[in-house]
Every structure is written in structure tokens, then in C-alpha cells.
Amino acid sequence: MSAVAPPAHPPAVQSAIHKIFRRVVPLFFIMFVANYMDRVNLGFAQEQLRADVGLSAAAFGLGAGIFFIAYAIFEVPSNMLMERFGAKVWLTRIMITWGIVATAMAWVSSAEMFYALRFLLGVAEAGFFPAVIYYFSRWLPDSHRGRATSFFLMGSGTATVIVGPISGALLEMHGVWGHSGWQWMFFIEGVFSVVLGFVVYRFLDSSIDKATWLTDEEKSGLVAVIDAEQEERAGQRGTAHVSRWKLLADPQMLLFLWIYFAINVALYAVTFWLPSIVDDIGGLSDFQVGLLTSVPWLCAIAAVYVSGRISDRIGKRRPILMALLVLGGCGTLLAVFVSPWVGLGALCIAAMGFKPASPVFWTIPQSYLDARAAAPGIALINSIGNLGGFVAPTAFGLIEDSTGSTKGGLVGLTVIGFLAAISVLLIRGGGRNDRIRPRPARASTPTAPKTAPGAARTPDPGPAGTAPAGA
């Protein structure tokens, strides 16, 4: 595929874009690091938390996964409220409330309290990703939103690398002032998010016209470019409507739902249970466990970069996705039969397969769906697929309680990875005649359906157009 050069913007607009990338985009990157850290740091506290509170492996897995149930339920209401109050206010609310709930995890004293706080954390975090994408859509032209979103998404990959050493170091504060290490970890990392929430409110502006750090010429030029793009997009799309029931009735959409669900099951199972698996090596401090858990994710980040480059260069997404899922399945299978140290290397292979599978996967539904069907279609895949984050830790906990080992869970991940890889063979090519097309409204122009297929190749970036990798 040949790259399309971005449109040349006036100097004032280019200057405004550079300022946004220096001031706003890095702040969103830090927010995503904090967001992902407070979501998955539970895996590092597992041993101490279960011992102090008296949680079984099944109870821990259920608490880890219940977050995603709340996240799925409240994501749409959160998005509606964001549109009412504005991205600045809503992002601040999200950050401060999730920081407060994450901090409150330091006082967990029962399984019921554990479940309630994890559920509330999902409620608090719901809508974070779409709010950031919405903010980009109001501040950046189409030609720069992809780069901004990619930089933002790097926050989750960065968090998977740094959360281990940081959480491990905080866990070694065990006994300081009479508190356990897991309590210090939740308290300090949660307070960081609360403080960051106030920083967000200080540095973000509700709209371009309120940004005092932009000149009047930069403001007017940027608003003109964004408004012109939105008017053009509205003219192309008309008032077409896509029924989600129609999407659910499409076999290819059901296939997408299953594959993305399987990817999330694998990713979150490895994320939440990796510290426990590494701890089986024995003789390691909490900080050393944290350091070692970052190794598979460092390998995964490199794999994301390489697989993305190869995927774009050859343009064949399905073979690459199959290869990544098979690689991930082989890694988890190998981890079952080898020593803990070799098993760590096997989990590096698993992470290098499952982590890059997500961004490669998202290129396939975007090419299959008509432009006007992309928004509801990808939102549907994202919301249902993310429920894999509930199934994965819950199933692992039940397996460990019944067998006394996580090996059964690793075998399950192998089966899921291989089944998902086989399922990729059933995906149609996503050609012009294969796409799901919306039902045009009566008032739509006769030319609108003719322009949709071409537009589907470059779907409009938005809350549903770009999905978080393992979010």
C-alpha cells in the first residue's frame, strides 16, 4: 500500500499542532501510564493481599476480573456525560475518582470489600479512552490524530514495563509504620493518580479558544481546518444509520467478536498472573520479581513495532495475525513443561505473540466495515471483546484453586490461542463487496453510498475507530 502524504497546513496551524504535541499529548501519555498501572498492579500485590485478607485464588481472580464488568456497563453512560460536561471536566473527574478508589484499595479487609472496590474502579475508569480520543478530535486535524493516538497508546506498553519494578519496590515497604507492602503500593500509586488529576485540570483547556498558550492566528487557523474536515465528513456520511442488531447477525462480526475476546483473555491472564508465575522461581525479592515481570513486556513492545512494520509493508494482515496467535499459544504451552527460569523465557514468547496481535487485529475489521458502519461495529467489538479481561483472571483463579497450579490455565491459553488462529482462516478478505453497508436514510443523497467504500479504507479516527491495546 502506498502512503498518502498528509495535507500541508498553513504555518500558524503547524505551529499550533507542534504546541499541542508538546503540551497535551505527553500529558495524556502519562495519564494512560497511571491508568494502566492502577488497573493491573493488583497482580503484584496478589501474594501479600491474599495472605492478609484471606482470599482464595478464585476470589482474587473474580475481584481482578469484575473491574471489566463495571467498565463495560458504564462506558456508554460515561461517554454521554462527557459530551455534556466536556472532555476537560470529565477527564479530571475520571482521574481523581479512579485515584481515590485505587487509594482505598489499601484498606481492603474482606472479600466483599475487595469486590466492591474493584467494581468501583471499573465505574471510575469507564470512558477514559473515548474521552481522550474525543479531545484529539476537537483539537487536531485528521492528518495528525493517528500519530497522537499512537503516542497515547504507548502508555499501556510503557506501564507494563515500569509497573513491575515500581510496584515491587513499594511492596518492599512491608512493615513501615505498621502497614503491609501491598497497602503502601495501592496508597502511593493511587495518590499519584489523584495528584495527576489536578495537574490535568490545570493544563487542559475545554476548547481551542480558551487556550492562552496559542496565538489568535493559531486558534483561528486550527478551528477552521477542523471545522472544514468535519463538514466534509458529514457531507460524505449523510444521515445513514447502522443497526447493531444487523451487525450481530453478521457471521463475520461474530467472528471478530470471538477473536478479539480470545486476544483479551490471553493478554489479561498473562498480565494478572505473570507476577505469581515469576514468583515460583523462588528466592526472589518483591523488587526482583517486579524487574523480571517487565522483561516479557519489553520483548512485547519490540514485537509490536516489528509486526506493525511488517504488516503495513506487505499488507497481509491475516497471516501475520495467525502467526502471532500461534506464537503466543506456543509460548504458554512451553511454559507448562519447563523450569521456572526457562518458563520466563517462554512467557516472553507468549507476550510477543499476544500483545502485538491486538493492533494487527484492528486493521482487519476497519477494512471489512463500510465507513459508516465502522463506528458502531468497532465499538461493539471493543466492548464485548474486553469482557475477556473478566473471564481470564476469574478462570485462572478457579483453576488454581482446584488444581493448586497455574499450569492448567496456561494450557487453556494455548488452546484459546490456537483456536483463535484457526478462526482467522474464516475471515473474508474484506473486499469492496464483502463490507457491511449501512441502511441509507431517506434524505441521503444518491452519491453517498458510492463514496462509502473508498472511505472505508481510511475510517475516521474517533472513540470507536481506534481501540486500546489490551485496555
Side-chain angles (χ1 to χ4, degrees):
M1 292 186 302
S2 60
V4 178
H9 297 297
V13 176
Q14 291 285 6
S15 175
I17 292 171
H18 290 322
K19 289 182 179 180
I20 293 170
F21 270 87
R22 290 197 304 266
R23 179 187 178 97
V24 178
V25 177
L27 183 59
F28 283 148
F29 171 84
I30 297 172
M31 290 170 66
F32 204 8
V33 170
N35 174 271
Y36 207 81
M37 179 182 296
D38 286 335
R39 183 184 303 185
V40 305
N41 58 6
L42 184 64
F44 298 91
Q46 179 181 173
E47 298 301 324
Q48 292 186 17
L49 177 64
R50 287 176 55 187
D52 289 354
V53 181
L55 297 175
S56 65
F60 174 83
L62 177 61
I66 204 171
F67 165 93
F68 296 94
I69 297 294
Y71 196 93
I73 293 173
F74 289 93
E75 184 166 14
V76 172
S78 179
N79 292 345
M80 295 171 64
L81 290 170
M82 175 197 67
E83 293 178 359
R84 177 179 178 181
F85 293 103
K88 173 182 177 176
V89 171
W90 204 242
L91 280 167
T92 302
R93 193 283 305 164
I94 288 174
M95 281 225 66
I96 293 177
T97 53
W98 104 46
I100 291 173
V101 176
T103 304
M105 284 288 295
W107 286 275
V108 167
S109 58
S110 65
E112 292 74 18
M113 186 177 180
F114 176 53
Y115 298 150
L117 286 176
R118 285 294 295 180
F119 186 85
L120 287 175
L121 186 63
V123 174
E125 286 193 21
F128 168 69
F129 182 83
V132 172
I133 303 303
Y134 174 79
Y135 198 96
F136 286 154
S137 73
R138 303 302 302 163
W139 282 75
L140 288 170
D142 283 345
S143 57
H144 290 77
R145 287 180 206 161
R147 185 158 61 95
T149 302
S150 297
F151 188 82
F152 166 63
L153 289 175
M154 286 173 60
S156 68
T158 303
T160 56
V161 173
I162 68 173
V163 67
I166 292 175
S167 298
L170 294 176
L171 287 172
E172 294 196 342
M173 295 178 65
H174 189 77
V176 175
W177 293 348
H179 295 290
S180 297
W182 64 269
Q183 292 178 301
W184 282 112
M185 185 200 74
F186 285 129
F187 180 80
I188 293 175
E189 293 179 356
V191 167
F192 173 76
S193 293
V194 174
V195 173
L196 185 58
F198 288 102
V199 174
V200 168
Y201 190 81
R202 168 65 179 82
F203 282 92
L204 290 186
D205 295 284
S206 299
S207 57
I208 293 174
D209 63 289
K210 294 183 179 179
T212 58
W213 40 277
L214 293 176
T215 66
D216 291 339
E217 185 181 6
E218 290 170 341
K219 294 177 185 178
S220 60
L222 195 58
V223 169
V225 169
I226 294 173
D227 286 349
E229 290 178 346
Q230 290 179 341
E231 290 176 5
E232 180 183 0
R233 193 180 309 120
Q236 290 176 345
R237 293 187 177 183
T239 56
H241 172 72
V242 179
S243 168
R244 296 197 180 190
W245 293 110
K246 178 183 177 182
L247 293 175
L248 279 174
D250 182 83
Q252 290 292 293
M253 281 297 297
L254 294 176
L255 195 59
F256 292 148
L257 291 174
W258 149 245
I259 294 172
Y260 190 57
F261 175 84
I263 292 172
N264 276 286
V265 167
L267 272 177
Y268 280 106
V270 175
T271 299
F272 281 115
W273 291 89
L274 179 60
S276 176
I277 295 171
V278 172
D279 192 51
D280 289 341
I281 293 175
L284 300 174
S285 66
D286 290 325
F287 179 67
Q288 290 171 326
V289 170
L291 282 177
L292 288 177
T293 55
S294 68
V295 175
W297 302 120
L298 281 170
C299 297
I301 290 175
V304 168
Y305 176 79
V306 173
S307 63
R309 296 266 298 189
I310 295 174
S311 174
D312 286 342
R313 179 172 298 176
I314 68 175
K316 296 184 181 296
R317 317 292 186 177
R318 288 180 297 169
I320 294 175
L321 179 58
M322 287 184 60
L324 290 172
L325 291 170
V326 170
L327 180 66
C330 289
T332 53
L333 182 63
L334 179 62
V336 175
F337 300 105
V338 296
S339 66
W341 275 109
V342 180
L344 178 60
L347 290 176
C348 289
I349 296 174
M352 292 171 67
F354 291 134
K355 187 72 172 177
S358 182
V360 172
F361 163 81
W362 279 110
T363 63
I364 300 175
Q366 288 180 356
S367 65
Y368 174 75
L369 295 166
D370 179 276
R372 290 164 291 174
I378 295 178
L380 187 65
I381 296 170
N382 186 48
S383 59
I384 295 179
N386 268 315
L387 291 177
F390 168 76
V391 173
T394 304
F396 251 68
L398 290 171
I399 291 172
E400 182 176 328
D401 266 356
S402 60
T403 66
S405 171
T406 58
K407 291 185 176 181
L410 292 173
V411 171
L413 290 186
T414 300
V415 173
I416 288 174
F418 288 164
L419 287 177
I422 294 172
S423 300
V424 175
L425 291 172
L426 302 177
I427 297 176
R428 293 201 298 265
R432 182 180 297 247
N433 296 326
D434 289 336
R435 293 181 183 138
I436 292 180
R437 301 179 187 278
R439 181 178 66 255
R442 294 177 181 176
S444 61
T445 62
T447 57
K450 295 180 181 179
T451 59
R457 298 173 189 169
T458 54
D460 173 48
T466 309

